[in-house]
Amino acid sequence: MASELNASIVSLENDWANAYYQADEAGQKQTYPKLLEQAALLVKRYPSAAEAKIWLATILATNAAFESSLTALSNLKNAKDLLEAAIKINPKALDGSAYVALGTLYYMLPGWPVSFGDDEMAEEYLKSSLEINPDGIDANYFYADFLFRQDRTAEAEAFFQKAAEAPVRKMQVYADTQLQNEAKLALNHAQQRKSNAEKSRFQALFTTASIGSE
């Protein structure tokens, strides 16, 4: 039973990655509903499996981009509920992926009254994912992305660096390679932002000194 579940999860992960990282949005729009059906069947077949709930939540979240606002918000709430249920069953499932996904939802979504977005909760969940899997690509990348959006660039740079250098998982080579590439690009952006900030500080100091000497 466990081997059948694992094989189904690996297949679902690979199919999702192939859809998610393709540039063709029309292809994504056609593929996600099929993957949702497969994931929903897995949850029904394995109701006590945290892994199935995590992947159904992940696909619900990514498919939300192609839904109306009201439908998307409803399904994102369903994704949150699934992830919370997965954590109660097994917080370490898929190397703490439920914490990564839940933290990402919290920082990407707007707050009340529109949705449940909350930066403090986001950081709490993302840090929990790092406690479980400190060297994981996903855990490091999404915590770095959160920090970068918070203008905590120096902190973000360190986690982007770690994500870019993290080992690729044998069963998820394509997805991990794609995310590593994104981490490297984000690392360059973080370094550029830090460089620009330093230049601005020096320029401000120079301007202040020039005015003071007049």
Side-chain angles (χ1 to χ4, degrees):
M1 182 174 175
S3 60
E4 290 179 7
L5 173 62
N6 290 338
S8 296
I9 291 295
V10 169
S11 176
L12 199 57
E13 287 174 338
N14 290 331
D15 289 344
W16 174 85
N18 287 330
Y20 183 75
Y21 288 108
Q22 68 174 322
D24 179 17
E25 289 189 357
Q28 291 177 331
K29 194 172 182 179
Q30 289 181 340
T31 303
Y32 287 151
K34 297 174 185 177
L35 296 180
L36 280 173
E37 288 181 12
Q38 295 174 27
L41 285 173
L42 273 184
V43 169
K44 186 175 181 179
R45 186 174 181 183
Y46 302 101
S48 299
E51 296 84 353
K53 288 179 169 57
I54 291 169
W55 270 102
L56 178 55
T58 299
I59 300 166
L60 279 170
T62 48
N63 187 56
F66 301 103
E67 298 176 317
S68 67
S69 296
L70 288 177
T71 301
L73 287 172
S74 176
N75 281 328
L76 288 167
K77 176 62 168 60
N78 291 338
K80 173 180 174 289
D81 293 342
L82 284 163
L83 293 167
E84 290 174 342
I87 288 170
K88 288 181 180 179
I89 294 170
N90 180 7
K92 295 184 179 180
L94 300 178
D95 295 323
S97 291
Y99 285 111
V100 178
L102 196 51
T104 303
L105 286 178
Y106 269 106
Y107 79 78
M108 285 192 170
L109 290 175
W112 188 89
V114 177
S115 190
F116 56 84
D118 184 313
D119 288 340
E120 289 186 9
M121 292 294 293
E123 186 159 18
E124 181 179 327
Y125 281 118
L126 291 167
K127 282 184 174 179
S128 294
S129 73
L130 285 166
E131 289 177 7
I132 294 170
N133 190 22
D135 298 320
I137 294 176
D138 292 359
N140 281 284
Y141 175 83
F142 286 104
Y143 186 48
D145 186 56
F146 165 77
L147 293 171
F148 189 74
R149 291 169 186 246
Q150 298 290 311
D151 291 326
R152 294 160 63 181
T153 308
E155 294 175 80
E157 186 179 347
F159 287 98
F160 278 135
Q161 184 75 52
K162 199 165 183 179
E165 297 173 351
V168 172
R169 293 166 288 189
K170 292 181 180 179
M171 302 303 291
Q172 296 183 42
V173 173
Y174 179 69
D176 284 358
T177 301
Q178 293 298 315
L179 194 55
Q180 275 192 334
N181 290 337
E182 291 191 10
K184 291 172 184 176
L185 287 172
L187 178 60
N188 288 335
H189 291 156
Q191 291 170 339
Q192 187 61 49
R193 179 193 280 181
K194 187 171 73 172
S195 176
N196 290 340
E198 289 172 351
K199 287 179 183 177
S200 296
R201 283 196 295 272
F202 280 123
Q203 288 171 352
L205 286 170
F206 179 77
T207 301
T208 302
S210 297
I211 293 172
S213 64
E214 291 177 357

